[in-house]
Amino acid sequence: MDHQDRQGTHGEFYVTTPIYYVNDKPHIGHAYSTIVADVLARWREAQGEHVVFSTGVDENAQKTVDAAAKQGEEVGAYLDRMAELWSGTWAKLGIANTDFIRTTEERHLEVVRDMWGRMEAAGDIYKGQYQGLYCKGHEAFLKEDELTPDGLCPEHKTAPELVTEENYFFKLSAYQEKLLDFYETHGDFVAPSHRFNDIRAFVEHGLEDVSFSRENKEWGIPVPNDPHQVIYVWADALVNYITVVGMEGWEAHPADIHVMAKDILKFHAVIWPAMLMSAGLPLPGQVICTGFLTIDGTKMSKSLGNVVDPLDLAARYGNDALRYFLLREVSFGDDGDFSEAKMKERYNADLANGLGNFAARVLAVAEKQQGGIPPGGPALAPEFAEAIRTMRHTAAARLGQFRFSDALAAVWAAIAFGDRYVNDKKIWEIKDEAELYAVLANLLALLDAVAQELAPFMPEASRKIRAAIVHGSDGTVTAAKPDVLFPRVK
Ligand code: MSP
């Protein structure tokens, strides 16, 4: 069954973000993935689908314990505080997630044990000796040839720890052919396609079994029937996607889309499907993957002191503006650079001037019409009908391909058309009442359509604009200019 069939038959849409590590607070990179998932959730909901949209926190990592210790806090208290901080951040940013999962919850432990049992029953879990270089930052083993010349993890700049222990292994190597067959028949499983090519090449190269447990760790989910081992954090974390809907829920309707950045694509496009195959469960529809955000051209890092807090930006520019900037500025799948100067520039040009000014000009003239614009005028002018149709068609097609920036560009093309019309007609000077009514009816229809199209991207502005245009039961349209949508920022 391909992805299209799935959405049609169920009328249901299940989208996820990664569950984030809580060794720190959310930054703009995390916000980016979460916003992408939120746009997809709102879009599908607007199409009448029942949406499950989950995000959450990955609490069983060793680095959680380290972070708590560093703060001098007891782990449980630290986790509660961080869960509050992460879910509170999403609430403040207006994220419409329907669930927030914590991997220390009982519901999760049950599903993880169930999964482990299924993979074990399939003969895919076995005990073996392991020696490897473990990077805590990655929560994964690195190969020697992945390290810097002086033996450090290239990303975390720390020396991995040489670990020799007895572990349980997952027989990933047994899934090479099955994965390749699956990729073959599911041509849109990973987007963008160049990342799918990387994944195929990686799997074709040959797969090694993965260590799926750690010995004598104080933190994590114990391996069923072996209290000396805890389940490898990734083997537990991926299962969160089942926990959210329950085992039966997943069997009936697995995730349609997993959203993430490229750093964790292999876990989602290789290990996760193999685990599901082993457990006899259906696979997700798509894994979509963004690039990385940098700040003024450099990597975000605490030590560089350039970590951008999404709440700080939202407080100064608004939630919608933050969403708009990230989705418009970054071309999906590519790395993107954040700079506040660029954000300010786009904010003033596209939002204060573009959308805000167009809405304000149309609504101001419409508001002046006592008793509103009466029904019975001429039908929508062909050029308006065409502008609306093109916008809707193009935006939907681009959104379907996750080309958020291009979808927004299609909406801005319609705004530009409306703006030109307002200028050319000099609508504030039109004296003839019938003409003015016809012009306003067209412009209000366009503005309304623009706002409707923007609903998944900029829910607050969309709601304000749509609320400003009131359709009476007799067909009269009245307008009330809202407060300035996007005050200019100096
Ligand atoms: N806990 C794991 C995920 C388990 S999912 C079953 C994890 N957590 S994380 O906190 O490190 O989050 C990684 C994710 O955060 C990335 O995949 C991406 O979604 C987001 N990002 C973190 N930094 C980012 C950027 N600089 N740019 C874009 N996205 C970034 O990995």
Side-chain angles (χ1 to χ4, degrees):
M1 219 176 358
D2 75 20
H3 194 63
Q4 291 301 319
D5 295 334
R6 295 155 45 88
Q7 36 191 87
T9 38
H10 293 276
E12 202 178 288
F13 179 65
Y14 177 23
V15 62
T16 71
T17 75
I19 49 169
Y20 303 104
Y21 289 130
V22 289
N23 52 330
D24 215 337
K25 62 180 189 172
H27 60 55
I28 196 177
H30 307 117
Y32 179 45
S33 287
T34 307
I35 288 169
V36 164
D38 189 68
V39 171
L40 296 173
R42 287 173 187 273
W43 180 49
R44 300 292 283 263
E45 184 148 46
Q47 293 175 343
E49 291 187 296
H50 172 71
V51 168
V52 178
F53 167 20
S54 74
T55 186
V57 282
D58 191 347
E59 299 180 301
N60 297 319
Q62 185 59 38
K63 55 178 147 192
T64 306
V65 186
D66 299 349
K70 218 166 138 192
Q71 303 285 325
E73 256 178 289
E74 187 266 314
V75 185
Y78 175 81
L79 288 179
D80 288 347
R81 189 167 65 77
M82 292 310 271
E84 195 71 23
L85 178 74
W86 281 75
S87 64
T89 298
W90 304 141
K92 285 181 195 145
L93 292 177
I95 300 297
N97 54 299
T98 60
D99 202 335
F100 184 86
I101 177 161
R102 301 179 55 177
T103 52
T104 50
E105 288 173 79
E106 186 56 36
R107 60 171 175 160
H108 182 62
L109 307 196
E110 279 167 26
V111 178
V112 169
R113 285 193 284 261
D114 186 353
M115 266 306 272
W116 186 274
R118 284 167 181 253
M119 295 187 292
E120 202 169 34
D124 288 332
I125 299 282
Y126 66 94
K127 217 168 183 179
Q129 190 72 23
Y130 195 82
Q131 188 173 67
L133 295 162
Y134 197 82
C135 169
K136 266 196 199 170
H138 273 91
E139 293 288 3
F141 286 97
L142 299 182
K143 298 218 176 80
E144 223 142 323
D145 62 9
E146 290 173 315
L147 306 179
T148 63
D150 39 359
L152 303 182
C153 162
E155 198 181 325
H156 297 98
K157 307 279 185 272
T158 49
E161 179 191 354
L162 180 68
V163 171
T164 311
E165 54 184 39
E166 209 170 38
N167 288 167
Y168 289 94
F169 282 74
F170 173 61
K171 233 186 247 174
L172 183 63
S173 59
Y175 288 90
Q176 182 183 20
E177 285 310 314
K178 289 180 193 128
L179 285 168
L180 291 172
D181 287 349
F182 174 74
Y183 299 155
E184 183 75 30
T185 49
H186 295 75
D188 65 355
F189 181 59
V190 176
S193 59
H194 71 271
R195 298 236 182 264
F196 200 6
N197 295 339
D198 296 345
I199 289 293
R200 270 195 217 96
F202 173 77
V203 174
E204 273 161 11
H205 195 71
L207 293 173
E208 285 173 20
D209 294 349
V210 229
S211 162
F212 250 28
S213 73
R214 303 291 313 275
E215 202 174 47
N216 296 326
K217 289 284 165 193
E218 79 223 73
W219 195 246
I221 303 180
V223 168
N225 307 317
D226 190 344
H228 299 298
Q229 299 265 339
V230 297
I231 297 177
Y232 173 43
V233 66
W234 270 101
D236 127 34
L238 289 160
V239 176
N240 93 84
Y241 302 130
I242 301 180
T243 305
V244 166
V245 288
M247 193 55 88
E248 281 174 22
W250 181 275
E251 292 194 274
H253 191 113
D256 293 286
I257 298 183
H258 293 309
V259 178
M260 69 207 60
K262 59 186 179 181
D263 55 336
I264 57 175
L265 178 61
K266 267 185 210 161
F267 289 100
H268 284 82
V270 182
I271 298 180
W272 177 227
M275 288 169 69
L276 290 164
M277 285 173 178
S278 170
L281 293 169
L283 305 202
Q286 275 182 302
V287 174
I288 71 165
C289 147
T290 69
F292 252 28
L293 288 183
T294 54
I295 306 297
D296 296 314
T298 48
K299 190 176 154 40
M300 228 181 308
S301 94
K302 250 191 171 170
S303 50
L304 289 175
N306 65 348
V307 178
V308 175
D309 182 346
L311 289 178
D312 167 50
L313 286 173
R316 288 180 295 124
Y317 294 87
N319 285 343
D320 278 358
L322 174 62
R323 295 166 73 96
Y324 176 77
F325 180 76
L326 291 175
L327 296 163
R328 184 76 178 88
E329 181 74 15
V330 183
S331 144
F332 187 78
D334 294 351
D335 290 344
D337 189 47
F338 178 87
S339 90
E340 192 164 342
K342 270 192 278 182
M343 173 151 175
K344 199 179 290 180
E345 199 180 303
R346 265 208 189 275
Y347 175 93
N348 284 328
D350 299 0
L351 300 181
N353 261 346
L355 174 61
N357 194 42
F358 173 60
R361 292 208 292 172
V362 172
L363 292 171
V365 178
E367 187 181 50
K368 285 202 192 113
Q369 310 312 308
Q370 302 293 330
I373 295 141
L380 209 56
E383 67 267 33
F384 275 83
E386 175 59 22
I388 292 171
R389 203 189 60 78
T390 304
M391 167 183 72
R392 285 194 176 136
H393 178 82
T394 314
R398 299 297 173 258
L399 204 40
Q401 299 164 312
F402 312 114
R403 289 164 58 186
F404 303 98
S405 182
D406 296 331
L408 284 166
V411 179
W412 257 258
I415 295 171
F417 162 81
D419 247 342
R420 271 197 308 276
Y421 188 88
V422 168
N423 291 339
D424 292 351
K425 285 274 178 197
K426 299 198 173 55
I427 61 167
W428 54 92
E429 287 178 6
I430 300 176
K431 293 283 177 297
D432 180 76
E433 196 172 66
E435 188 191 349
L436 182 58
Y437 285 163
V439 163
L440 284 174
N442 276 288
L443 285 167
L444 288 170
L446 176 69
L447 181 60
D448 202 23
V450 161
Q452 190 184 356
E453 211 55 43
L454 286 178
F457 298 97
M458 306 174 74
E460 290 168 22
S462 168
R463 209 175 307 120
K464 282 187 197 159
I465 294 172
R466 299 207 77 195
I469 304 169
V470 181
H471 297 266
S473 53
D474 65 345
T476 303
V477 181
T478 45
K481 191 162 130 351
D483 292 342
V484 181
L485 290 170
F486 301 101
R488 288 189 72 85
V489 172
K490 289 233 168 54

